[in-house]
Amino acid sequence: MLEARGLSKRYGGALALDKVSFQVHRGEIVGYLGPNGSGKSTTVNIVVGLLEPTSGSVTLDGRTLSEDPTGYQNKIGYVPEEPYLYTHLTATEYLTLIARLRRLPRIAVEKTIPELLRLFQLHDSRYSTMAAFSKGMRQRVLLAAALLHNPDLLVLDEPFGGLDVNAGLLFRALLGMLAADGRMILFSTHRFDMVEKLCSRVVILSSGRLVAEHDMAAFETAGTPSLEETFCRVTKQADFRPLAREILDTIQA
Amino acid sequence: MRRTLDERPWYQLTTHFFRELFDFGMLSDAGSDAVRRMLIGVVAVTLTFGLLLTRMYLGKYVALSELFHDWGTGYKLNREPYHLAILGDGALVMAFPMLIVGFVVVLVSSSLFPNEIDCRVLLPLPVSKRVVFESKALAVMVFASLFALAAHVAMIPVVVLMWNSRWADHGLVAQLGAHAVASLGGSIVTALVIMAVAGALLICVPRSRLQAASIAFRGACLCGLVLSIPLVLRLPMSGARIASGSPLFYVVPPIWFLGIEQLLLGKATPYFVRLAQIAAGTAVVSSAVALGSYVFLYHRFERVIFRPRSGSDRVPRERRGGTAAIGPFIRATLTRSPLHQAVFVIIAACGAGLVLNSFVGGWDPGTAIWAPFALMLVMNVALRAALVLPIELRANWIFRVTEDEATRAEELNAVVRTMIFLGVVLPLAMLFPVEWVVLGPRAIHCTSIAFLCGLVLVELQMAEWKRIPFTCSYAPSKQFVGLTLLIGVAAFVVFAAIGSRLVSYSVSHPVGWLAVMAILGAVSLYLRRERLWVARRATLMFEDVLPNEVEPLKLSEF
């Protein structure tokens, strides 16, 4: 189980995250929703070990990052929001680099990488440097890299950006199967539809604070407000319809 | 309705390709900025060199215009030294822009033709293939012309100074016109030759080997250009040889265009005609090949640009984890990133130039003993300078999330292995044949001592190294530039002096040689052990830090 307890993060004087606590159980896909600047990426960076919290802690199966850095990191697969990778390498070289940094056995390099490249439809471009890849192709490389070491926890920060419809459907199915297989998935996104279709629970963040946490089943009960309505209410979002009307009026004029 | 210029596709594409030439299409924003700064630096150096040259030549040409000579019939004005100087200096002011244009075009040699990304991104848009190719060619021409123009503008003061003389055979305007035609022609042909070779490689070399061939071509050109700098600086002293029609200059491109200039000024001697013919021939051949490459790519781009890449799926034999991961990453970056390659090759070529220059006077044993130390030090500095420059900085998260205490020392050791290979073994291997010719079997003494001195140098240089190469941000000018230069020169002098003395001693004392070897070996092993001890305990560095010691001004003491 992934457990975040009282996570706070300050950047200078600004409080980006304020005592956020949540859990992700095995077999669960937890949607992590919030408007821009609400602290989603900060949380994700703390969970994967790229940032240290100002206070609070994250434990994975009862152990913190500082207690067992290697064991902790090897249980996590991470897909960042932007496809930041070394574009002067080929997809094979990049995955091989990661396999070796994670000290995976030779079989992973020789068998798993070509197989993953084939399954992610990158095999034909395996000798091209990733500079020639589209955003969707780079996103697929990152997903392959996140899955390469068969992690227990998958942390996805907006993983569907740039993916075409087929790849999006494939990943949705894949994430469902990974959860069914007992993996934990923390899914940070802006997209309500993806959360509704994929997640078993949703955690909503606003201005660095956790403002709501619901089982997705709760939204299926008749008479309950939808996820979108709940989100707008708890994050105090304004009604966008007057603004949309104004834009329409402007372009029509 | 008439479209404005910036609405036309060819204009937008040319602007796009022109900007792209400054970032090579594969660098991070920080890398692109570094390249832009470097290219702006090239222009600044060009302009400064022009002014410096003018200042240096001012006295020379004033003196030349007042030369007298006793011909036995009384004093008579002598125009001969002026004409010899004009030939030599004319060659220099022609060679300099060629060098600058050659340097910048080589740096962007991977972007001279439309590539796979251009075609994949642009051709699905409502833009014709013809517009894409024409815009790319135009952008390359504008890019090369920009630097050619800057180099020629820098040379204007010195050119005016040279031809504004009482001994000049023609009016200033005529001379300037002839020089401009010949010199601009030289710069354009330089760019065309590089384009022609790059185009021929693109078309002829199988795609699996294209990258290696392009890298080898770029590295060789950069190295050749840097090594040619001392030769270019010797051109002003070549006036008499040019006037005597030395066939040596048939292989010196700037002199070919000097031949054109002299022809335009009416000096149609057989020698200048021959030089002009070589220049014209080169211009025709390079234009034909460069243009032919564009036309061929235009008609067959599906087969050439989109031909499937082939390569080997064989995974290299795995060494220890850290080495296996970091070694290939360093190799790939050094060979594929033009910026990193340029930094390494240019600095290393300075060392090679220094060594070559010292051998020009003859095969002196003293030089043969000193040379390996000089080259090793410069190549170590070159490699270190390339390794600290970041690439795709935000992609370093993968190293941060996989940092492992157990493999950290191995990962850092992989960097040291690269330093030893490229900074010690490679220069020694390159110099060994020369050493053997000059020193005979004593070359073994020299090389073995130099190798161990090189190991000690690398260990000292890397004692505090805590970075995976290219993954840490880089803060330039952390210390005063003058101090850095002073330390560099001092290190060079001390390292070369101590090394040479050790070799000289070892050559004459065989037992002493073994003792020196043993001591150096022990020192390098001790330093290695210390470095690994530190590496196991230190955390990796991903943010470059400025020296944080606050220096109190101690104003109260004044």
Side-chain angles (χ1 to χ4, degrees):
Chain A
M1 178 181 76
L2 172 78
E3 183 172 21
R5 264 181 295 192
L7 285 184
S8 295
K9 180 69 186 174
R10 279 188 179 278
Y11 294 106
L15 188 62
L17 214 55
D18 188 9
K19 294 177 191 147
V20 170
S21 301
F22 63 91
Q23 295 174 343
V24 183
H25 299 278
R26 287 195 175 270
E28 249 191 344
I29 304 179
V30 173
Y32 203 59
L33 274 176
N36 282 340
S38 59
K40 293 194 305 293
S41 290
T42 302
T43 316
V44 164
N45 284 337
I46 290 172
V47 168
V48 298
L50 288 170
L51 274 181
E52 273 198 40
T54 311
S55 64
S57 65
V58 182
T59 56
L60 184 54
D61 292 337
R63 296 180 73 82
T64 63
L65 175 66
S66 54
E67 283 170 356
D68 178 18
T70 311
Y72 183 96
Q73 297 285 16
N74 279 341
K75 286 181 178 174
I76 297 182
Y78 168 54
V79 179
E81 185 177 2
E82 289 293 324
Y84 296 132
L85 30 71
Y86 291 105
T87 52
H88 63 291
L89 302 180
T90 64
T92 309
E93 287 169 341
Y94 185 70
L95 294 179
T96 305
L97 171 74
I98 290 170
R100 285 176 171 171
L101 286 172
R102 292 197 182 276
R103 307 179 81 184
L104 299 183
R106 190 175 169 82
I107 186 100
V109 181
E110 285 181 343
K111 298 269 175 8
T112 316
I113 290 174
E115 199 55 21
L116 278 175
L117 288 174
R118 189 182 62 78
L119 294 168
F120 282 107
Q121 292 156 14
L122 294 163
H123 199 250
D124 290 344
S125 308
R126 66 193 185 282
Y127 301 120
S128 302
T129 58
M130 291 185 287
F133 280 18
S134 65
K135 189 180 177 191
M137 289 167 86
R138 292 179 192 189
Q139 206 70 21
R140 278 182 268 160
V141 174
L142 283 171
L143 275 157
L147 295 171
L148 188 62
H149 57 296
N150 194 15
D152 287 341
L153 168 68
L154 210 52
V155 181
L156 310 171
D157 197 354
E158 289 290 355
F160 292 94
L163 291 181
D164 61 27
V165 178
N166 287 338
L169 290 172
L170 167 71
F171 284 127
R172 235 173 63 189
L174 179 64
L175 292 180
M177 285 182 188
L178 285 166
D181 195 36
R183 319 295 163 106
M184 300 161 269
I185 298 172
L186 179 62
F187 181 45
S188 169
T189 185
H190 291 109
R191 292 178 55 181
F192 299 116
D193 59 327
M194 295 305 292
V195 173
E196 281 167 343
K197 283 174 183 148
L198 262 174
C199 299
S200 45
R201 201 148 52 83
V202 63
V203 172
I204 301 176
L205 218 63
S206 177
S207 306
R209 306 186 114 188
L210 197 152
V211 290
E213 189 172 358
H214 292 283
D215 279 337
M216 289 307 293
F219 295 107
E220 288 162 15
T221 315
T224 314
S226 69
L227 174 60
E228 190 178 329
E229 287 164 344
T230 307
F231 179 84
C232 289
R233 184 173 52 80
V234 297
T235 58
K236 300 186 177 66
Q237 300 291 317
D239 186 355
F240 290 108
R241 275 170 298 192
L243 181 62
R245 169 55 55 194
E246 212 173 319
I247 293 170
L248 188 64
D249 291 344
T250 305
I251 56 172
Q252 281 174 344
Chain B
M1 195 172 71
R2 250 182 101 79
R3 286 190 294 183
T4 58
L5 188 66
D6 59 359
E7 285 173 338
R8 290 168 195 264
W10 69 264
Y11 178 81
Q12 290 182 348
L13 273 183
T14 305
T15 313
H16 162 75
F17 286 136
F18 179 75
R19 287 186 183 147
E20 199 188 47
L21 285 168
F22 287 87
D23 71 15
F24 306 112
M26 61 169 277
L27 290 169
S28 59
D29 292 345
S32 305
D33 285 347
V35 174
R36 265 182 222 126
R37 280 197 295 274
M38 188 166 78
L39 293 177
I40 291 167
V42 168
V43 174
V45 166
T46 307
L47 296 172
T48 312
F49 181 72
L51 292 174
L52 187 71
L53 206 61
T54 311
R55 176 75 188 84
M56 285 163 61
Y57 278 10
L58 191 63
K60 177 181 174 179
Y61 278 89
V62 168
L64 280 172
S65 67
E66 291 167 359
L67 265 187
F68 287 82
H69 186 77
D70 180 5
W71 290 99
T73 54
Y75 286 102
K76 190 177 174 184
L77 291 169
N78 183 8
R79 61 173 60 191
E80 196 56 23
Y82 169 78
H83 282 130
L84 295 183
I86 271 292
L87 284 176
D89 293 337
L92 174 72
V93 294
M94 219 167 266
F96 183 67
M98 289 171 75
L99 210 58
I100 295 291
V101 170
F103 177 70
V104 294
V105 176
V106 164
L107 270 184
V108 299
S109 59
S110 55
S111 309
L112 295 175
F113 295 88
N115 57 26
E116 191 181 341
I117 304 172
D118 298 331
C119 293
R120 282 195 196 283
V121 173
L122 295 171
L123 293 182
L125 300 174
V127 180
S128 72
K129 192 169 67 169
R130 187 176 170 168
V131 170
V132 173
F133 275 72
E134 284 174 354
S135 304
K136 186 82 178 190
L138 184 60
V140 171
M141 276 194 273
V142 172
F143 180 80
S145 306
L146 187 75
F147 287 94
L149 210 63
H152 282 88
V153 167
M155 291 292 117
I156 286 176
V158 75
V159 168
V160 171
L161 176 73
M162 282 163 54
W163 278 300
N164 193 17
S165 165
R166 65 199 295 184
W167 303 128
D169 295 328
H170 301 85
L172 182 63
V173 175
Q175 303 244 27
L176 281 178
H179 174 76
V181 169
S183 187
L184 279 170
S187 299
I188 291 166
V189 170
T190 307
L192 283 173
V193 167
I194 296 165
M195 278 184 79
V197 179
L201 286 177
L202 189 59
I203 292 166
C204 302
V205 176
R207 202 154 185 219
S208 58
R209 298 188 187 279
L210 182 59
Q211 196 168 42
S214 304
I215 289 160
F217 168 63
R218 195 169 54 211
C221 283
L222 283 175
C223 199
L225 286 168
V226 176
L227 287 178
S228 69
I229 291 173
L231 302 175
V232 166
L233 294 177
R234 281 174 184 239
L235 284 175
M237 290 166 280
S238 312
R241 280 180 152 186
I242 298 169
S244 67
S246 168
L248 183 75
F249 293 112
Y250 289 142
V251 292
V252 183
I255 309 292
W256 304 342
F257 294 92
L258 188 73
I260 290 189
E261 183 198 77
Q262 295 299 313
L263 267 189
L264 290 173
L265 290 171
K267 292 178 188 161
T269 64
Y271 183 61
F272 288 132
V273 170
R274 179 89 180 116
L275 286 171
Q277 282 172 343
I278 298 173
T282 310
V284 169
V285 172
S286 57
S287 310
V289 177
L291 191 67
S293 302
Y294 254 95
V295 173
F296 186 86
L297 279 175
Y298 176 74
H299 288 292
R300 302 280 178 89
F301 82 103
E302 291 92 348
R303 283 173 58 185
V304 177
I305 297 176
F306 291 151
R307 66 189 149 168
R309 281 175 194 252
S310 59
S312 167
D313 287 324
R314 190 177 64 85
V315 177
R317 192 175 165 74
E318 193 167 353
R319 300 173 73 171
R320 281 172 296 174
T323 309
I326 306 301
F329 179 62
I330 297 175
R331 273 197 298 281
T333 308
L334 277 180
T335 51
R336 290 179 199 164
S337 160
L339 178 67
H340 293 82
Q341 198 188 23
V343 168
F344 175 63
V345 171
I346 289 170
I347 301 177
C350 290
L354 194 70
V355 168
L356 274 180
N357 201 42
S358 50
F359 276 116
V360 167
W363 300 104
D364 175 35
T367 308
I369 289 173
W370 167 84
F373 296 95
L375 192 57
M376 272 195 306
L377 189 86
V378 177
M379 286 186 74
N380 266 288
V381 170
L383 189 55
R384 203 175 193 279
L387 294 182
V388 295
L389 292 178
I391 189 166
E392 303 279 3
L393 196 55
R394 284 178 292 191
N396 73 6
W397 64 270
I398 190 62
F399 290 97
R400 293 163 68 187
V401 301
T402 52
E403 185 177 355
D404 184 352
E405 203 176 308
T407 54
R408 192 188 301 132
E410 283 172 25
E411 288 174 2
L412 293 175
N413 206 31
V415 188
V416 175
R417 279 172 196 271
T418 309
M419 290 285 284
I420 291 172
F421 179 73
L422 288 176
V424 178
V425 176
L426 183 66
L428 290 181
M430 286 193 305
L431 278 176
F432 189 75
V434 181
E435 302 274 302
W436 187 266
V437 169
V438 180
L439 300 172
R442 286 178 299 167
I444 295 170
H445 289 78
C446 181
T447 305
S448 56
I449 298 275
F451 175 71
L452 289 173
C453 284
L455 291 189
V456 172
L457 174 73
V458 170
E459 292 297 344
L460 286 172
Q461 228 185 345
M462 305 300 279
E464 298 292 322
W465 182 269
K466 290 178 217 154
R467 310 166 181 220
I468 301 294
F470 323 116
T471 63
C472 180
S473 62
Y474 175 58
S477 303
K478 274 179 285 188
Q479 63 184 17
F480 178 53
V481 178
L483 181 65
T484 309
L485 282 175
L486 193 69
I487 293 170
V489 171
F492 184 84
V493 171
V494 170
F495 181 68
I498 292 177
S500 308
R501 286 294 163 94
L502 286 175
V503 172
S504 303
Y505 172 76
S506 306
V507 164
S508 48
H509 302 85
V511 180
W513 171 55
L514 291 175
V516 169
M517 293 276 287
I519 293 168
L520 286 173
V523 171
S524 92
L525 281 176
Y526 171 76
L527 291 172
R528 182 176 189 276
R529 208 183 63 177
E530 288 292 300
R531 175 177 54 76
L532 290 174
W533 190 86
V534 171
R536 279 187 206 104
R537 280 150 189 82
T539 49
L540 290 176
M541 196 170 146
F542 293 103
E543 293 291 335
D544 203 356
V545 284
L546 292 167
N548 52 5
E549 292 85 6
V550 177
E551 274 193 51
L553 292 173
K554 296 179 183 167
L555 295 173
S556 58
E557 292 178 14
F558 289 95

